[in-house]
Amino acid sequence: MSGIRVEGLGKRFGTRVAVEGLSFEVAPGEVFGLLGPNGAGKTTTVRMLTGLLTPTWGDATVAGISSRHGGEDLRRKVGLLTEQPGLYDRLTGKENLLFFIKLNELDEDAAWARALGYLERFGLKGREDEPCGSWSKGMRQKLAIIRTLVHDPEVVIFDEPTSGLDPDSARTVRDCIAELASEKRTIVLCSHNLAEVERLCQRVAVVKGRLLALSAVRDLRRAGHALQIKVAGDAARFLPALAALPFSPKALVEGGLLRVLLSDEEQQPEVLRALIDAGARVYHATRIERPLEEVYLELVRA
Amino acid sequence: MSFRPRRALAVFWKDFLDLRKNRGLLGSMAVIPCVMVLVPTLMVWAYVRNPDDPSLRVMARYYEVSVQSADAARFLIDKSLTDWFGLFLIMPLFIPILISSSSVAGEKERRTLEPLLASPATSLEIVVGKSLAALLPAVLVSFAAFVLFCISVDVVAWKLVRGPLLPNGMWIFGVVVIAPLFAFLGNGVAILISARVGDSRLAQQLSGLVSLPILGMVGSQVAGVLRAGAGYYAIVGAVVLLLDLLLLRATIRLFDRERLISRWS
Ligand SMILES: Nc1ncnc2c1ncn2[C@@H]1O[C@H](COP(=O)(O)OP(=O)(O)OP(=O)(O)O)[C@@H](O)[C@H]1O
Ligand SMILES: [Mg+2]
């Protein structure tokens, strides 16, 4: 089976535990988000998945191969976009790619034709004979992405792929990631761009040294939804009535708009009744899902 | 662990290409053979210029009491050339240090090591490819410098010797057999050190310390304490061969992915 299966994965550097107790699975064709604040252990985790670091605890099976013992068989099937582009500055774009084509023992003509397709798509065609040292940050990042894909990997791991890219290029990269997933590849995406994660990923893991949450993006947002209520006059008058409810929900006021955060659907009628009993004229009430950002911040700040 | 020559060759291809484009490194590499050819030529020229100078006899007698006045210049030329081989060895030793330090520690500095380690290439293939890219230039430059050295010394010495002085058996043996062994030593030391430090300049400086014993050796020859010759250099070569084998073992053991990734921050 391809895909990724992580069981009790953890890593300690000296006395510092970078990350521990990670367990999750990623199916082929899925884009899996790995979220977490700086220093949460995302890069450490993807290094363990690609066999660059040996786990202190647990193991991961990637494309059917144990990352602990996989060695070159594993690395042949996995593409890793490292946090830093890591290009050879004196070499040209073409030479950088050819090096990785050679390292993967690919048919050079076929692989280069494939790479040319990506160069064209990322707007780098015509620049491939210039030394990479003279390239802009975004160009370097895009070339690093092509390098990651040059051997047609089954599993692709992106560590912050759109950092440093302009909106147009970021969009191209996102489309490319979606396309890779539609080709039944398994994809892990580490990112700080929550809008991007929301758009691309079906499921996410939030980590901060350990697993804080693991769920579908939709469920995560639903886990705490909000009721947005329009009342006549200043809505702040009704805050005491809400606070008096047995589950005392958090509420935000913006003029006549009340946003009440709820953890359970059964709380909705209670909120409305409390408001009406307190004399509120309710024009409308809408259920809204919280943006991923809000859920995320709540998780990592806790 | 398997060994695929194609991947080692890919590493060699990349490093060699990178070296060809690295003007600064090529420049510092070019200085060494120039010195190695010019200095001994000047020395020989100094003896040939005035072979009957009585002080040459005094100098020669310091090393060898039985030297006749007429042979003093020739004796000193032979001795200088034999001793010079000790210094000549600095070239095959030092060129790989320059190249390997910048290729291994340089990959860490520029963060190119992680993508390389994430490729299918094994540590052994990476080490072999990088070593080839350092050894080949060192050996080729040493051979080329040797040819130039023979020509320029023969031209200058012709007036006195009336025939070709070089190449002689000791020098050919030295350049073909001992110089590559020294290249291997410099490369091994540089790879080992730069795998553990994250800065190519520091790696170069630390590795450069292995040339100190050579200076000690040559100093002792000049002081007349050690007497150089084919047998003497053969013993030096044997010791270096032993060191090479030890280094090879240590390099294969210590050059592992985890250590390389973890030691760079
Ligand atoms: N080689 C190493 N040696 C020692 N500690 C390390 C090493 N690599 C990472 N760490 C530590 O492990 C923790 C997790 O780091 P990691 O780079 O995985 O975080 P991250 O989630 O990728 O952060 P960011 O979002 O900033 O990229 C940090 O505290 C870091 O200092
Ligand atoms: Mg990171």
Side-chain angles (χ1 to χ4, degrees):
Chain A
M1 194 214 78
S2 57
I4 298 175
R5 182 201 188 96
V6 174
E7 272 166 300
L9 197 66
K11 181 72 189 175
R12 189 180 59 207
F13 294 107
T15 55
R16 168 184 288 136
V17 175
V19 62
E20 62 181 336
L22 287 189
S23 299
F24 58 83
E25 282 181 31
V26 189
E30 185 178 2
V31 183
F32 184 81
L34 203 51
L35 300 180
N38 295 129
K42 303 180 295 296
T43 299
T44 303
T45 303
V46 302
R47 283 178 178 167
M48 287 192 283
L49 294 183
T50 46
L52 290 173
L53 291 176
T54 311
T56 312
W57 306 282
D59 196 4
T61 311
V62 178
I65 302 170
S66 154
S67 75
R68 204 182 257 282
H69 310 291
E72 50 173 297
D73 293 331
L74 171 69
R75 300 197 296 276
R76 219 193 301 274
K77 292 190 172 180
V78 179
L80 170 66
L81 174 72
T82 47
E83 208 167 16
Q84 314 266 345
L87 304 177
Y88 298 98
D89 284 349
R90 274 183 291 268
L91 267 49
T92 65
K94 180 173 182 178
E95 289 161 346
N96 266 286
L97 293 179
L98 276 181
F99 177 41
F100 281 81
I101 289 173
K102 287 173 194 283
L103 282 177
N104 282 284
E105 301 179 276
L106 305 172
D107 174 67
E108 282 190 30
D109 295 331
W112 175 244
R114 217 177 108 77
L116 263 182
Y118 281 117
L119 285 167
E120 174 133 46
R121 185 160 174 189
F122 288 148
L124 291 177
K125 197 154 179 223
R127 307 290 299 265
E128 69 267 20
D129 289 323
E130 294 171 23
C132 291
S134 64
W135 284 14
S136 77
K137 187 176 171 194
M139 291 168 68
R140 299 165 62 83
Q141 178 73 1
K142 287 189 273 187
L143 194 78
I145 293 175
I146 301 174
R147 182 191 59 204
T148 306
L149 302 176
V150 90
H151 58 293
D152 205 7
E154 227 171 87
V155 173
V156 196
I157 301 179
F158 292 101
D159 202 346
E160 304 183 28
T162 53
S163 82
L165 296 188
D166 64 45
D168 189 25
S169 307
R171 177 65 184 270
T172 313
V173 169
R174 279 197 289 272
D175 290 348
C176 176
I177 293 177
E179 189 184 303
L180 290 168
S182 74
E183 294 164 357
K184 283 285 168 228
R185 291 176 218 267
T186 310
I187 295 176
V188 174
L189 173 68
C190 300
S191 177
H192 291 294
N193 182 339
L194 295 170
E196 174 177 290
V197 168
E198 222 167 343
R199 212 172 310 168
L200 280 175
C201 301
Q202 288 83 51
R203 290 187 311 135
V204 293
V206 182
V207 292
K208 189 178 171 186
R210 60 195 173 82
L211 200 58
L212 294 179
L214 172 66
S215 95
V217 175
R218 225 186 303 140
D219 293 342
L220 200 59
R221 286 165 43 179
R222 243 187 233 146
H225 67 274
L227 202 55
Q228 183 163 289
I229 306 152
K230 171 93 172 96
V231 296
D234 181 11
R237 292 177 282 146
F238 304 111
L239 288 178
L242 290 177
L245 281 167
F247 48 91
S248 52
K250 256 201 281 178
L252 305 166
V253 176
E254 228 182 289
L257 269 185
L258 256 179
R259 255 173 119 193
V260 189
L261 302 182
L262 301 175
S263 54
D264 185 347
E265 219 154 22
E266 290 307 311
Q267 296 168 344
Q268 288 183 33
E270 305 292 325
V271 167
L272 289 174
R273 182 197 304 267
L275 289 174
I276 291 166
D277 287 351
R281 284 171 64 81
V282 175
Y283 292 112
H284 58 77
T286 331
R287 179 198 155 110
I288 52 172
E289 286 187 346
R290 288 198 294 164
L292 184 59
E293 182 178 4
E294 212 169 283
V295 184
Y296 169 79
L297 288 177
E298 199 175 288
L299 277 170
V300 302
R301 280 179 183 162
Chain B
M1 191 162 69
S2 69
F3 182 85
R4 313 271 300 188
R6 255 181 93 184
R7 295 195 295 235
L9 281 177
V11 174
F12 167 74
W13 172 81
K14 188 273 294 174
D15 272 359
F16 199 69
L17 196 61
D18 195 56
L19 174 65
R20 271 174 35 204
K21 299 185 182 204
N22 190 343
R23 296 247 171 86
L25 189 54
L26 286 181
S28 20
M29 267 171 57
V31 173
I32 308 177
C34 292
V35 172
M36 289 298 160
V37 173
L38 277 180
V39 174
T41 306
L42 282 174
M43 262 161 48
V44 171
W45 178 74
Y47 293 136
V48 169
R49 194 180 40 159
N50 193 0
D52 304 321
D53 189 326
S55 49
L56 290 186
R57 208 193 75 193
V58 179
M59 269 170 75
R61 287 232 167 129
Y62 170 72
Y63 297 112
E64 179 71 68
V65 237
S66 60
V67 176
Q68 300 300 307
S69 308
D71 302 332
R74 175 63 197 267
F75 172 85
L76 286 172
I77 290 174
D78 284 342
K79 172 165 171 54
S80 319
L81 291 181
T82 305
D83 284 343
W84 187 257
F85 179 67
L87 281 179
F88 185 88
L89 284 173
I90 286 189
M91 175 163 48
L93 180 73
F94 209 70
I95 289 178
I97 289 179
L98 286 177
I99 299 176
S100 290
S101 304
S102 91
S103 89
V104 179
E107 294 237 17
K108 289 198 224 170
E109 262 171 5
R110 293 182 202 100
R111 300 289 196 251
T112 52
L113 192 59
E114 194 177 355
L116 176 57
L117 291 177
S119 82
T122 62
S123 315
L124 185 62
E125 289 155 5
I126 296 175
V127 171
V128 168
K130 286 193 168 298
S131 299
L132 271 182
L135 293 175
L136 199 71
V139 170
L140 289 182
V141 168
S142 299
F143 284 1
F146 175 58
V147 170
L148 280 179
F149 167 70
C150 291
I151 295 172
S152 68
V153 165
D154 280 349
V155 166
V156 170
W158 197 272
K159 202 173 94 187
L160 182 81
V161 185
R162 299 277 157 217
L165 199 54
L166 288 175
N168 60 26
M170 186 215 88
W171 266 91
I172 292 177
F173 170 71
V175 171
V176 173
V177 178
I178 299 180
L181 289 175
F182 269 74
F184 210 93
L185 177 69
N187 177 64
V189 168
I191 287 192
L192 258 196
I193 289 182
S194 53
R196 325 195 99 220
V197 302
D199 170 354
S200 56
R201 240 163 286 163
L202 181 62
Q204 248 167 39
Q205 287 156 5
L206 287 178
S207 317
L209 295 179
V210 288
S211 54
L212 289 182
I214 292 194
L215 295 180
M217 260 166 49
V218 176
S220 315
Q221 291 163 19
V222 172
V225 178
L226 286 176
R227 186 154 205 162
Y232 164 82
Y233 286 124
I235 292 171
V236 171
V239 171
V240 170
L241 177 65
L242 193 70
L243 288 176
D244 285 348
L245 295 177
L246 291 176
L247 267 177
L248 193 67
R249 239 189 63 184
T251 313
I252 291 172
R253 270 226 318 255
L254 293 182
F255 201 84
D256 83 303
R257 259 152 237 282
E258 170 118 16
R259 195 185 298 264
L260 286 170
I261 290 256
S262 302
R263 290 284 172 100
W264 70 21
S265 8

mmCIF file of all heavy atoms in Angstrom, chain B residues 76-90:
data_model
loop_
_atom_site.group_PDB
_atom_site.id
_atom_site.type_symbol
_atom_site.label_atom_id
_atom_site.label_comp_id
_atom_site.label_asym_id
_atom_site.label_seq_id
_atom_site.Cartn_x
_atom_site.Cartn_y
_atom_site.Cartn_z
ATOM 1 N N LEU B 76 74.909 19.816 -4.219
ATOM 2 C CA LEU B 76 73.864 20.645 -3.589
ATOM 3 C C LEU B 76 72.582 20.641 -4.425
ATOM 4 O O LEU B 76 71.469 20.620 -3.883
ATOM 5 C CB LEU B 76 74.368 22.072 -3.381
ATOM 6 C CG LEU B 76 75.374 22.197 -2.229
ATOM 7 C CD1 LEU B 76 75.985 23.592 -2.211
ATOM 8 C CD2 LEU B 76 74.714 21.885 -0.882
ATOM 9 N N ILE B 77 72.770 20.645 -5.761
ATOM 10 C CA ILE B 77 71.576 20.591 -6.615
ATOM 11 C C ILE B 77 70.824 19.286 -6.371
ATOM 12 O O ILE B 77 69.612 19.271 -6.152
ATOM 13 C CB ILE B 77 71.975 20.720 -8.102
ATOM 14 C CG1 ILE B 77 72.448 22.146 -8.384
ATOM 15 C CG2 ILE B 77 70.794 20.383 -9.012
ATOM 16 C CD1 ILE B 77 73.001 22.333 -9.782
ATOM 17 N N ASP B 78 71.568 18.163 -6.367
ATOM 18 C CA ASP B 78 70.903 16.876 -6.135
ATOM 19 C C ASP B 78 70.202 16.850 -4.789
ATOM 20 O O ASP B 78 69.069 16.390 -4.677
ATOM 21 C CB ASP B 78 71.934 15.735 -6.191
ATOM 22 C CG ASP B 78 72.341 15.434 -7.627
ATOM 23 O OD1 ASP B 78 71.590 15.854 -8.543
ATOM 24 O OD2 ASP B 78 73.404 14.808 -7.828
ATOM 25 N N LYS B 79 70.883 17.378 -3.786
ATOM 26 C CA LYS B 79 70.289 17.340 -2.449
ATOM 27 C C LYS B 79 69.033 18.211 -2.395
ATOM 28 O O LYS B 79 68.010 17.806 -1.849
ATOM 29 C CB LYS B 79 71.293 17.810 -1.392
ATOM 30 C CG LYS B 79 70.615 17.959 -0.026
ATOM 31 C CD LYS B 79 71.560 18.074 1.123
ATOM 32 C CE LYS B 79 70.824 18.432 2.415
ATOM 33 N NZ LYS B 79 69.710 17.541 2.752
ATOM 34 N N SER B 80 69.107 19.409 -2.991
ATOM 35 C CA SER B 80 67.927 20.288 -2.942
ATOM 36 C C SER B 80 66.743 19.635 -3.647
ATOM 37 O O SER B 80 65.614 19.704 -3.174
ATOM 38 C CB SER B 80 68.178 21.621 -3.629
ATOM 39 O OG SER B 80 69.439 22.087 -3.327
ATOM 40 N N LEU B 81 67.035 19.014 -4.783
ATOM 41 C CA LEU B 81 65.929 18.414 -5.531
ATOM 42 C C LEU B 81 65.311 17.259 -4.744
ATOM 43 O O LEU B 81 64.097 17.080 -4.721
ATOM 44 C CB LEU B 81 66.399 17.938 -6.901
ATOM 45 C CG LEU B 81 66.778 19.069 -7.874
ATOM 46 C CD1 LEU B 81 67.218 18.496 -9.213
ATOM 47 C CD2 LEU B 81 65.611 20.032 -8.066
ATOM 48 N N THR B 82 66.158 16.477 -4.088
ATOM 49 C CA THR B 82 65.642 15.365 -3.287
ATOM 50 C C THR B 82 64.826 15.898 -2.103
ATOM 51 O O THR B 82 63.735 15.419 -1.819
ATOM 52 C CB THR B 82 66.800 14.498 -2.766
ATOM 53 O OG1 THR B 82 67.574 14.080 -3.886
ATOM 54 C CG2 THR B 82 66.275 13.292 -2.030
ATOM 55 N N ASP B 83 65.376 16.917 -1.451
ATOM 56 C CA ASP B 83 64.638 17.487 -0.308
ATOM 57 C C ASP B 83 63.351 18.154 -0.770
ATOM 58 O O ASP B 83 62.343 18.130 -0.059
ATOM 59 C CB ASP B 83 65.489 18.538 0.407
ATOM 60 C CG ASP B 83 66.566 17.883 1.258
ATOM 61 O OD1 ASP B 83 66.428 16.672 1.534
ATOM 62 O OD2 ASP B 83 67.518 18.577 1.638
ATOM 63 N N TRP B 84 63.403 18.765 -1.949
ATOM 64 C CA TRP B 84 62.242 19.517 -2.417
ATOM 65 C C TRP B 84 61.018 18.630 -2.567
ATOM 66 O O TRP B 84 59.891 19.082 -2.424
ATOM 67 C CB TRP B 84 62.539 20.235 -3.734
ATOM 68 C CG TRP B 84 61.424 21.130 -4.113
ATOM 69 C CD1 TRP B 84 60.471 20.904 -5.053
ATOM 70 C CD2 TRP B 84 61.107 22.379 -3.510
ATOM 71 N NE1 TRP B 84 59.579 21.927 -5.073
ATOM 72 C CE2 TRP B 84 59.945 22.852 -4.139
ATOM 73 C CE3 TRP B 84 61.696 23.155 -2.492
ATOM 74 C CZ2 TRP B 84 59.348 24.058 -3.789
ATOM 75 C CZ3 TRP B 84 61.102 24.354 -2.152
ATOM 76 C CH2 TRP B 84 59.943 24.793 -2.803
ATOM 77 N N PHE B 85 61.270 17.358 -2.841
ATOM 78 C CA PHE B 85 60.113 16.482 -3.000
ATOM 79 C C PHE B 85 59.221 16.507 -1.752
ATOM 80 O O PHE B 85 58.007 16.439 -1.840
ATOM 81 C CB PHE B 85 60.547 15.050 -3.314
ATOM 82 C CG PHE B 85 59.376 14.127 -3.466
ATOM 83 C CD1 PHE B 85 58.505 14.280 -4.544
ATOM 84 C CD2 PHE B 85 59.094 13.148 -2.521
ATOM 85 C CE1 PHE B 85 57.392 13.467 -4.677
ATOM 86 C CE2 PHE B 85 57.981 12.333 -2.648
ATOM 87 C CZ PHE B 85 57.129 12.492 -3.728
ATOM 88 N N GLY B 86 59.852 16.646 -0.583
ATOM 89 C CA GLY B 86 59.065 16.733 0.653
ATOM 90 C C GLY B 86 58.091 17.890 0.596
ATOM 91 O O GLY B 86 56.913 17.746 0.938
ATOM 92 N N LEU B 87 58.574 19.049 0.125
ATOM 93 C CA LEU B 87 57.684 20.209 0.039
ATOM 94 C C LEU B 87 56.668 20.050 -1.082
ATOM 95 O O LEU B 87 55.519 20.487 -0.972
ATOM 96 C CB LEU B 87 58.495 21.489 -0.180
ATOM 97 C CG LEU B 87 59.146 22.063 1.075
ATOM 98 C CD1 LEU B 87 59.935 23.314 0.709
ATOM 99 C CD2 LEU B 87 58.096 22.408 2.123
ATOM 100 N N PHE B 88 57.129 19.397 -2.145
ATOM 101 C CA PHE B 88 56.248 19.165 -3.294
ATOM 102 C C PHE B 88 54.985 18.414 -2.851
ATOM 103 O O PHE B 88 53.897 18.621 -3.384
ATOM 104 C CB PHE B 88 57.022 18.356 -4.341
ATOM 105 C CG PHE B 88 56.285 18.143 -5.627
ATOM 106 C CD1 PHE B 88 56.360 19.071 -6.662
ATOM 107 C CD2 PHE B 88 55.516 17.001 -5.829
ATOM 108 C CE1 PHE B 88 55.683 18.873 -7.855
ATOM 109 C CE2 PHE B 88 54.838 16.794 -7.010
ATOM 110 C CZ PHE B 88 54.918 17.734 -8.033
ATOM 111 N N LEU B 89 55.151 17.549 -1.830
ATOM 112 C CA LEU B 89 54.019 16.753 -1.356
ATOM 113 C C LEU B 89 52.908 17.616 -0.758
ATOM 114 O O LEU B 89 51.770 17.181 -0.629
ATOM 115 C CB LEU B 89 54.495 15.745 -0.309
ATOM 116 C CG LEU B 89 55.230 14.534 -0.876
ATOM 117 C CD1 LEU B 89 55.808 13.704 0.252
ATOM 118 C CD2 LEU B 89 54.289 13.705 -1.720
ATOM 119 N N ILE B 90 53.259 18.840 -0.366
ATOM 120 C CA ILE B 90 52.234 19.732 0.177
ATOM 121 C C ILE B 90 51.148 19.974 -0.859
ATOM 122 O O ILE B 90 49.972 20.104 -0.534
ATOM 123 C CB ILE B 90 52.879 21.069 0.620
ATOM 124 C CG1 ILE B 90 53.654 20.802 1.900
ATOM 125 C CG2 ILE B 90 51.819 22.138 0.838
ATOM 126 C CD1 ILE B 90 54.172 22.028 2.567
#
